[in-house]
Amino acid sequence: MGRVCFPFSKQKSEAFGTVARPIARVTLRTRSGELFDVTALVDSGADISMFSPSLARVIGIQLRRGIRRRFQGLGGTIDAYIHPVDLQLGGMRLRARVAFPEIEIPNILGRLDILSRSSVVFRDEREVCFRY
């Protein structure tokens, strides 16, 4: 069984000044096989992971070739295209379904295929740990 932890990131909030957020480093693989890291908010309330459309272009995904679905959240309703994506969190490698909207958003790690495959612990706004 493996484990990887990421420190919370201090970020500005219009409502609260500075807040600590659970941000994970995710390694992605492009269609040509190159690896690179991005960050994503760990969101246990998100049904699916959602990454920005600019990231889709970087890893070689043609956005509209995915499965189109409508998602609803605090910001309202958004259409996005679901694609399989090879990614890595620490030593945990997996292929996950990720939704890509047509508007820029912060990257989010959700339950489907990612958080559901590990045990996630949020430690006192200091770190978020995955056991897989």
Side-chain angles (χ1 to χ4, degrees), residues 12-83:
K12 290 185 180 182
S13 162
E14 285 187 34
F16 302 109
T18 301
V19 296
R21 292 191 174 124
I23 304 291
R25 187 179 60 257
V26 181
T27 302
L28 298 172
R29 182 179 303 275
T30 66
R31 296 279 188 240
S32 64
E34 293 178 67
L35 299 176
F36 70 98
D37 291 339
V38 297
T39 57
L41 176 71
V42 180
D43 186 349
S44 62
D47 295 331
I48 189 170
S49 298
M50 194 170 283
F51 291 167
S52 73
S54 58
L55 189 53
R57 288 187 292 280
V58 169
I59 61 177
I61 289 176
Q62 294 183 14
L63 202 65
R64 292 186 175 204
R65 288 197 176 172
I67 299 167
R68 185 178 179 180
R69 292 288 184 261
R70 181 160 286 172
F71 297 91
Q72 196 164 5
L74 288 175
T77 301
I78 188 171
D79 289 336
Y81 300 87
I82 301 172
H83 292 268

